[in-house]
Amino acid sequence: MTGQVLEESTDLTAHRLSVKTSMEEDSERADSTLSRGPSVCDDTSSELQRVATLEPRGLNSRNSFRGRGALSRLVSIVVTLREWAHKSLQEEEERPDSFLERFRGPELRMVPSRISSNRPDQQNSDSGIKTKKKSDVFIIAPADDLYYHWLLVIATAVLYNWCLLVARACFDELQTNNYIVWLVLDYLSDLVYILDTCVRLRTGFLEQGLLVKDLKKLRDTYICTLQFKLDLLSILPTDLAYFATGIHMPELRFNRLMRFSRMFEFFDRTETRTSYPNTFRISNLVLYILVIIHWNGCIYFAISKSLGFGSDQWVYPNMSDPEFGTLTREYVYCLYWSTLTLTTIGEMPAPVRDEEYLFVIFDFLVGVLIFATIVGNVGSMISNMNATRAEFQAHIDAIKHYMQFRKVSKELEARVIKWFDYLWTNKKAIDEQEVLKNLPNKLRAEIAINVHLETLKKVRIFQDCEAGLLVELVLKLRPQVFSPGDYICRKGDIGKEMYIIKEGRLAVVADDGVTQFALLTSGSCFGEISILNIKGSKMGNRRTANIRSIGYSDLFCLSKDDLMEAVMEYPDAKKVLEERGREILRKEGLLEDLRAGGLTGEQMEEKVERLEASLDTLQTRFARLMGEYTATQQRLKQRLTALESRIQHSGSGFLSDGNESTIDGDGTHSEVNIQL
């Protein structure tokens, strides 16, 4: 009994060791395959496996987590779960769409553009000399998201200075009540400015299509620009004059306003990136107007302070009045005055002094320009927002006018209007070819494939299609929309297009238009048989079925000329298409058997050779006939010339009734029968 227990224990231990060994081998194989460096998770897993191996396992822990071996079982479960999760995550990351992968081809794996690492060659390990690796060079590409996010940070700092520096310089109470907060924010913005200068020194640019990573070249290029001088002025420590004037002089920091170009650059890039450019333009315009009104109100308060509060009816009222003594009322009153003045509404107290008149005149001029700018920009933006709708409505109006002029029936007119309404409601009124015409063919094809990926995946002719042919075909697809009850094709019609169903349902119906034989859904294609001109087809290039739209259907149309032009450069793909067409015709019994009366390759070559020989014989005979014809024509010309000369010598009396025989130079007789 004891021997049996020992044998079972030995077998169990050997089994666990073998399981552990296979687990280690799988782990090592996975690590070597993925070629990844050591991580904390890997160290943890290795440590857990070591604990699981060293932990003694007894028979009492066979079916329970209590007693000896409980820790090892827990560790084994944790390791197994971790490996399963890691494997699932790895498969999820490395499982690209096969359809897109085949179209795009293998991705070009390059070192990230922001990191340029230069590593020297390692010396012989026996020499014991340690080589120093050059530090990684950090370069920011202007097209990266990191650069855009940094622009957001620096634009916030610039906007802070543009709005609050002026307000603090004009409203003393705003500056003195919260000076600690302002000092913290000021020096935070200064830190951002300094970091922005460092970012500019490491911002690459494209030269011959490649990102420049040479730090010396980047530095020299940036230093030679005007922006470097403005940036240098914006970070000059002018606030050191606080030691002489006190900290309540924010005017000393006005040089921080010189970095305004970064804010405009952020606005430009946001307008390019956003999906709602018109909304952003309106918001941007409103921001500019508010900043101008804010500055004008602050300047009005500063002028009132220099002239004396309450000194006349135009300046800000006396601050001894409790109603006008608070900071909130001061700013709101000045903002109200600035808004009324710049919008040319007026209704404010008239100026009294010359300085006041000049300032109001300047404000009115600026207000007129602002008002014109607002009207022009807002009108342009609204027109751009409604441009698609206006163009679509113009097409509808033109077709309505035409149908009324031609006295089209009300039923047909209603169908046309419903068709247009369906296009606009489902956002299918945009001409995709017109929108994407400025893009290169590669990007246009990739956009089309991404937009219509789910439909194209289901199409049989695209399953094993070459990437180049796929690009050609996708670029030639034209969207079409059919109304309920429309016939896409009728049996016996000449086939000039093939169709791919994107959305909707089509029915294969009998000649009566009611009996349905089959139902076609998204991803189905039809009409390719009639445009391939398959040899032996009993229908030739005619349609083999009636297909009718049940509801509104969105189809892709590919014309015969476009298909032939595309497959001309891909003969293998053409053979595949023809073979699939033959299989369909063979199943439907519409393919004739050409094997009995068909010609072999050798027979066809002999026939071609015989035709070429016959053609050479015909060409020889034709050349002989042409020579004889030329000679006969020459002799006829000579006879006519001789006859004309005889008539000229004989005079008018020679003309009489009768026949005359002449002998030509070549010995032949010519009889001339001249009658008057």
Side-chain angles (χ1 to χ4, degrees):
M1 185 69 178
T2 307
Q4 293 178 358
V5 172
L6 290 175
E7 288 177 359
E8 290 178 0
S9 178
T10 305
D11 295 339
L12 181 61
T13 306
H15 174 68
R16 288 174 177 172
L17 288 176
S18 64
V19 171
K20 188 258 176 186
T21 305
S22 63
M23 183 184 300
E24 289 180 348
E25 290 176 356
D26 293 340
S27 178
E28 291 173 0
R29 190 181 301 110
D31 291 342
S32 62
T33 303
L34 297 175
S35 300
R36 54 186 177 88
S39 61
V40 178
C41 296
D42 298 333
D43 296 338
T44 306
S45 177
S46 302
E47 185 65 23
L48 289 174
Q49 291 181 4
R50 187 181 65 80
V51 172
T53 306
L54 296 178
E55 179 67 23
R57 303 182 182 183
L59 294 174
N60 296 332
S61 61
R62 193 179 189 92
N63 298 317
S64 174
F65 287 102
R66 297 180 178 179
R68 299 177 61 188
L71 180 60
S72 62
R73 284 182 174 274
L74 289 174
V75 169
S76 300
I77 292 176
V78 171
V79 172
T80 304
L81 289 175
R82 179 193 172 279
E83 291 181 352
W84 173 78
H86 178 73
K87 181 179 180 182
S88 301
L89 183 61
Q90 191 69 22
E91 290 179 355
E92 214 172 274
E93 292 177 353
E94 296 183 356
R95 192 183 298 162
D97 192 287
S98 59
F99 192 81
L100 286 177
E101 187 70 18
R102 179 166 51 81
F103 164 69
R104 292 174 178 170
E107 294 289 340
L108 182 61
R109 303 194 179 276
M110 299 176 61
V111 180
S113 60
R114 294 189 298 269
I115 304 294
S116 174
S117 57
N118 299 322
R119 299 180 178 178
D121 297 335
Q122 294 182 353
Q123 301 291 337
N124 190 356
S125 59
D126 296 335
S127 62
I129 301 176
K130 297 182 179 180
T131 58
K132 294 183 179 180
K133 296 183 179 180
K134 295 181 180 179
S135 59
D136 293 338
V137 178
F138 185 76
I139 301 297
I140 299 179
D144 287 351
D145 291 337
L146 178 63
Y147 183 77
Y148 176 73
H149 295 152
W150 174 252
L151 284 180
L152 173 61
V153 175
I154 185 63
T156 304
V158 173
L159 191 61
Y160 158 77
N161 286 322
W162 270 69
C163 292
L164 292 178
L165 270 183
V166 179
R168 288 160 50 196
C170 297
F171 296 92
D172 296 336
E173 189 176 353
L174 178 65
Q175 168 65 26
T176 56
N177 289 348
N178 306 289
Y179 68 92
I180 297 179
V181 176
W182 302 132
L183 286 176
V184 173
L185 293 178
D186 285 347
Y187 291 116
L188 279 178
S189 67
D190 290 349
L191 178 61
V192 172
Y193 276 28
I194 295 173
L195 291 177
D196 182 60
T197 303
C198 299
V199 169
R200 278 187 176 273
L201 289 172
R202 292 181 177 269
T203 300
F205 59 89
L206 295 180
E207 187 176 52
Q208 297 183 0
L210 298 176
L211 186 67
V212 177
K213 300 179 181 178
D214 186 0
L215 287 179
K216 184 177 183 301
K217 189 172 184 179
L218 294 177
R219 182 178 64 250
D220 295 342
T221 303
Y222 174 53
I223 291 175
C224 294
T225 59
L226 175 63
Q227 189 57 47
F228 171 73
K229 301 176 179 61
L230 296 177
D231 292 347
L232 190 62
L233 289 175
S234 66
I235 59 176
L236 288 178
T238 54
D239 46 1
L240 292 177
Y242 282 167
F243 293 106
T245 62
I247 62 174
H248 300 304
M249 288 291 293
E251 297 91 338
L252 297 175
R253 295 179 54 84
F254 274 5
N255 61 320
R256 270 60 172 180
L257 305 179
M258 305 294 289
R259 206 174 284 247
F260 58 89
S261 63
R262 297 296 266 178
M263 183 174 62
F264 294 150
E265 183 180 358
F266 170 73
F267 290 156
D268 292 339
R269 291 185 178 271
T270 304
E271 183 177 351
T272 304
R273 285 173 170 246
T274 182
S275 301
Y276 306 96
N278 291 316
T279 304
F280 178 77
R281 293 188 191 107
I282 294 176
S283 303
N284 201 13
L285 178 63
V286 171
L287 176 63
Y288 290 156
I289 294 172
L290 290 177
V291 170
I292 293 175
I293 292 175
H294 167 77
W295 273 50
N296 190 62
C298 293
I299 294 174
Y300 167 74
F301 189 83
I303 293 176
S304 299
K305 181 169 60 175
S306 63
L307 296 178
F309 297 116
S311 58
D312 54 46
Q313 61 178 2
W314 183 81
V315 299
Y316 185 81
N318 197 337
M319 298 182 62
S320 59
D321 187 352
E323 183 181 356
F324 299 98
T326 62
L327 176 62
T328 304
R329 175 53 63 91
E330 293 173 5
Y331 181 74
V332 171
Y333 182 91
C334 295
L335 197 67
Y336 173 73
W337 183 92
S338 176
T339 303
L340 292 181
T341 304
L342 292 180
T343 54
T344 65
I345 295 176
E347 297 184 3
M348 295 300 294
V352 178
R353 306 180 187 182
D354 295 340
E355 301 89 343
E356 298 171 358
Y357 274 109
L358 292 175
F359 181 69
V360 171
I361 291 172
F362 177 77
D363 268 9
F364 280 151
L365 293 177
V366 173
V368 170
L369 294 177
I370 291 176
F371 184 75
T373 303
I374 293 174
V375 172
N377 282 274
V378 172
S380 176
M381 293 174 189
I382 293 176
S383 299
N384 292 333
M385 293 172 65
N386 298 326
T388 305
R389 176 66 183 177
E391 183 180 0
F392 183 73
Q393 192 64 42
H395 291 321
I396 298 178
D397 295 341
I399 292 177
K400 286 181 179 179
H401 178 71
Y402 174 80
M403 290 189 296
Q404 292 176 359
F405 178 74
R406 294 298 181 183
K407 298 180 180 180
V408 178
S409 64
K410 295 296 182 181
E411 181 181 358
L412 182 57
E413 185 176 352
R415 287 181 58 192
V416 172
I417 294 175
K418 287 181 180 179
W419 183 80
F420 273 110
D421 184 64
Y422 171 80
L423 289 183
W424 181 257
T425 304
N426 293 273
K427 299 180 180 180
K428 296 177 181 178
I430 300 176
D431 187 358
E432 297 180 0
Q433 301 293 335
E434 185 67 22
V435 173
L436 303 177
K437 67 179 182 180
N438 294 325
L439 292 178
N441 291 342
K442 180 71 173 179
L443 288 179
R444 287 171 56 193
E446 191 164 351
I447 289 176
I449 289 177
N450 278 273
V451 172
H452 311 300
L453 177 62
E454 296 302 323
T455 302
L456 297 178
K457 275 183 178 180
K458 303 175 184 178
V459 180
R460 290 179 301 171
I461 64 174
F462 291 157
Q463 293 299 323
D464 301 323
C465 183
E466 297 182 29
L469 179 59
L470 182 63
V471 173
E472 294 287 339
L473 293 179
V474 169
L475 290 178
K476 296 179 185 299
L477 292 177
R478 291 179 288 106
Q480 291 186 0
V481 179
F482 290 90
S483 302
D486 289 348
Y487 276 94
I488 288 82
C489 61
R490 292 179 181 270
K491 187 175 181 179
D493 291 346
I494 302 297
K496 297 181 180 179
E497 301 95 4
M498 66 170 292
Y499 297 94
I500 301 170
I501 304 176
K502 179 186 177 185
E503 292 179 359
R505 292 187 176 184
L506 305 179
V508 181
V509 298
D511 294 336
D512 58 4
V514 178
T515 307
Q516 294 187 8
F517 298 125
L519 190 65
L520 303 178
T521 57
S522 176
S524 302
C525 65
F526 59 92
E528 69 273 16
I529 298 176
S530 59
I531 66 175
L532 288 176
N533 293 331
I534 299 175
K535 289 184 179 181
S537 175
K538 296 179 180 179
M539 297 297 296
N541 60 346
R542 296 183 179 274
R543 302 293 188 187
T544 59
N546 300 312
I547 298 181
R548 191 174 187 179
S549 177
I550 299 177
Y552 284 101
S553 303
D554 297 345
L555 308 180
F556 290 124
C557 175
L558 182 63
S559 66
K560 179 178 180 179
D561 295 337
D562 291 339
L563 179 61
M564 292 297 106
E565 182 183 353
V567 300
M568 186 180 299
E569 303 296 335
Y570 300 91
D572 295 337
K574 185 177 181 181
K575 291 179 181 178
V576 172
L577 292 177
E578 291 179 350
E579 185 61 30
R580 289 179 181 173
R582 288 193 189 95
E583 291 177 2
I584 297 174
L585 290 175
R586 192 176 296 112
K587 290 179 181 179
E588 298 179 357
L590 298 176
L591 185 64
E592 296 178 353
D593 190 3
L594 300 178
R595 290 177 295 179
L599 297 176
T600 62
E602 296 179 356
Q603 292 175 347
M604 184 63 70
E605 291 180 0
E606 293 177 0
K607 189 174 181 179
V608 170
E609 290 177 358
R610 288 198 301 269
L611 288 175
E612 290 179 352
S614 300
L615 182 60
D616 293 339
T617 304
L618 289 175
Q619 288 179 348
T620 304
R621 292 180 180 178
F622 180 73
R624 187 182 298 116
L625 289 174
M626 284 296 296
E628 293 177 358
Y629 171 75
T630 304
T632 304
Q633 190 178 21
Q634 185 67 27
R635 288 196 299 270
L636 182 59
K637 288 181 179 180
Q638 291 176 358
R639 291 175 184 177
L640 290 175
T641 303
L643 179 60
E644 289 177 356
S645 62
R646 283 177 177 273
I647 292 174
Q648 290 177 357
H649 288 305
S650 61
S652 60
F654 177 77
L655 298 176
S656 61
D657 296 339
N659 297 331
E660 182 177 355
S661 177
T662 61
I663 299 176
D664 294 336
D666 57 354
T668 60
H669 291 273
S670 300
E671 292 185 357
V672 181
N673 189 9
I674 302 176
Q675 297 180 358
L676 293 176

